[in-house]
Amino acid sequence: MKYILFCALSIIFFSIDCESQVLSLVPHPLQNYQHPFNEKFIQRNGIFAIQIEISNKKEMDIIRSADQFLVFEFNKIGNLINEKKFKMGDVDTLNFAFEYSDEGKLLLEQEFIGNGILQKKYSYDSYGNKKSIEYSKIDAFSNDRNLISIDSIRTINIDGTIIQNYYNDYGKFYREIRLYYDSLNYLSKYRETFIISHNQNTIEYSYNDFGLLKEIDYYFALSDITRKEEYIYNSEGVPDTFLIYENGELKKRKEYLYNSDGSLKAILFKEMETNLITIWQLTYIKGY
């Protein structure tokens, strides 16, 4: 297993040739694991890792380091291969690892939980659609493992609507996912249905004049809360502000700050109820 390389005391900053936006503004609802970075930007600019130092600022107070760090590590084609979150002086870490095919398809996802590893192994049909997911638990020290279950997936396309049917380890149909596209082939809606209860989770997408995400609306069957996310762009067409609403009330606000070369310098997260601001300071590492 390849682990993240990180040195907290000696970080080298490399300027980025901004050929695309560092943030991913295209929805990928079928990806099990989500991260905020644009794979094209990572690949084009030869970025090996993005290191983030986290700080906090309370109302009427100075900025204080949280002694927390996030590290995202990528392969040569921009795929995320490792993610690690840790706090200085704390042995507990959150660590994810990913492996891909030569075509960039996710083959293996591992989440490190205490002394164990939750592993998901993916296979695909001849059309590149996800065909199965194998769930295993692995002992992190002895590497002993047990295969827990296997989900099977059947994908069909009906008049531009992608339908995925999920079958559990007993071969029983239990979940359906549908992706709806508009006449311009933009993803407009994601709908997840659980067959037994008929509970549905729905996500709706809308875009601005440049084809970039403008608004995402969430409707969850088991929640009374509706959630809306809104992107606001500056005159150069890059994201400037990100707003999160619950039941129509603004709850969280993100501000994006950029370096002179166009790369993302920092993200400021503000909790509207407490006025607590969390700051992500980004450093880019180039080369392999």
Side-chain angles (χ1 to χ4, degrees), residues 179-213:
L179 299 185
Y180 299 87
Y181 292 83
D182 64 19
S183 59
L184 298 176
N185 203 34
Y186 282 90
L187 177 63
S188 60
K189 182 187 297 184
Y190 165 97
R191 175 164 289 168
E192 176 185 45
T193 304
F194 293 93
I195 304 306
I196 301 298
S197 65
H198 301 291
N199 285 330
Q200 286 189 337
N201 299 318
T202 302
I203 307 174
E204 296 179 352
Y205 306 91
S206 59
Y207 305 84
N208 65 15
D209 289 343
F210 299 96
L212 302 175
L213 269 178

Side-chain angles (χ1 to χ4, degrees), residues 188-249:
S188 60
K189 182 187 297 184
Y190 165 97
R191 175 164 289 168
E192 176 185 45
T193 304
F194 293 93
I195 304 306
I196 301 298
S197 65
H198 301 291
N199 285 330
Q200 286 189 337
N201 299 318
T202 302
I203 307 174
E204 296 179 352
Y205 306 91
S206 59
Y207 305 84
N208 65 15
D209 289 343
F210 299 96
L212 302 175
L213 269 178
K214 180 177 69 174
E215 187 174 304
I216 309 173
D217 294 280
Y218 299 85
Y219 306 93
F220 298 109
L222 299 180
S223 175
D224 295 329
I225 298 175
T226 61
R227 176 186 172 102
K228 181 176 79 171
E229 299 175 354
E230 181 182 1
Y231 280 102
I232 299 174
Y233 298 83
N234 64 20
S235 59
E236 297 175 349
V238 296
D240 178 77
T241 307
F242 181 66
L243 305 174
I244 299 176
Y245 297 86
E246 292 181 357
N247 292 335
E249 182 180 355

Side-chain angles (χ1 to χ4, degrees), residues 26-41:
V26 179
H28 298 287
L30 294 183
Q31 291 184 1
N32 292 68
Y33 189 82
Q34 304 285 330
H35 68 86
F37 299 111
N38 183 346
E39 293 179 351
K40 289 184 178 180
F41 181 93

Side-chain angles (χ1 to χ4, degrees), residues 28-250:
H28 298 287
L30 294 183
Q31 291 184 1
N32 292 68
Y33 189 82
Q34 304 285 330
H35 68 86
F37 299 111
N38 183 346
E39 293 179 351
K40 289 184 178 180
F41 181 93
I42 300 300
Q43 179 188 24
R44 290 171 179 173
N45 293 289
I47 298 171
F48 166 75
I50 297 177
Q51 302 173 351
I52 298 173
E53 181 177 359
I54 301 174
S55 303
N56 295 316
K57 184 183 185 305
K58 296 181 180 179
E59 192 172 17
M60 306 299 292
D61 194 7
I62 63 173
I63 297 175
R64 300 181 186 275
S65 174
D67 293 325
Q68 290 182 333
F69 297 87
L70 275 169
V71 181
F72 298 88
E73 191 177 55
F74 307 92
N75 62 18
K76 291 183 179 180
I77 61 173
N79 298 135
L80 177 68
I81 56 174
N82 277 302
E83 179 185 338
K84 189 174 185 180
K85 181 179 182 180
F86 64 93
K87 186 172 184 178
M88 298 298 290
D90 195 341
V91 296
D92 292 330
T93 62
L94 177 64
N95 196 8
F96 296 88
F98 308 90
E99 295 180 9
Y100 302 84
S101 68
D102 293 339
E103 297 77 27
K105 291 286 188 182
L106 180 61
L107 298 178
L108 203 65
E109 175 185 335
Q110 293 184 328
E111 179 180 1
F112 295 76
I113 307 172
N115 295 331
I117 301 170
L118 173 62
Q119 176 175 284
K120 299 175 186 178
K121 185 177 181 181
Y122 302 96
S123 67
Y124 300 85
D125 63 24
S126 58
Y127 298 98
N129 299 310
K130 199 174 294 179
K131 184 173 67 174
S132 68
I133 308 175
E134 295 183 5
Y135 298 88
S136 301
K137 288 297 292 292
I138 305 172
D139 186 287
F141 297 105
S142 67
N143 209 35
D144 291 339
R145 67 185 63 205
N146 285 305
L147 177 59
I148 306 301
S149 64
I150 302 175
D151 274 9
S152 299
I153 306 167
R154 298 174 188 171
T155 303
I156 57 176
N157 190 323
I158 300 178
D159 297 328
T161 299
I162 296 175
I163 303 172
Q164 283 191 340
N165 293 329
Y166 282 71
Y167 298 81
N168 63 22
D169 206 26
Y170 298 96
K172 301 295 185 180
F173 178 36
Y174 74 92
R175 178 184 179 220
E176 179 191 81
I177 291 176
R178 291 185 177 230
L179 299 185
Y180 299 87
Y181 292 83
D182 64 19
S183 59
L184 298 176
N185 203 34
Y186 282 90
L187 177 63
S188 60
K189 182 187 297 184
Y190 165 97
R191 175 164 289 168
E192 176 185 45
T193 304
F194 293 93
I195 304 306
I196 301 298
S197 65
H198 301 291
N199 285 330
Q200 286 189 337
N201 299 318
T202 302
I203 307 174
E204 296 179 352
Y205 306 91
S206 59
Y207 305 84
N208 65 15
D209 289 343
F210 299 96
L212 302 175
L213 269 178
K214 180 177 69 174
E215 187 174 304
I216 309 173
D217 294 280
Y218 299 85
Y219 306 93
F220 298 109
L222 299 180
S223 175
D224 295 329
I225 298 175
T226 61
R227 176 186 172 102
K228 181 176 79 171
E229 299 175 354
E230 181 182 1
Y231 280 102
I232 299 174
Y233 298 83
N234 64 20
S235 59
E236 297 175 349
V238 296
D240 178 77
T241 307
F242 181 66
L243 305 174
I244 299 176
Y245 297 86
E246 292 181 357
N247 292 335
E249 182 180 355
L250 181 60

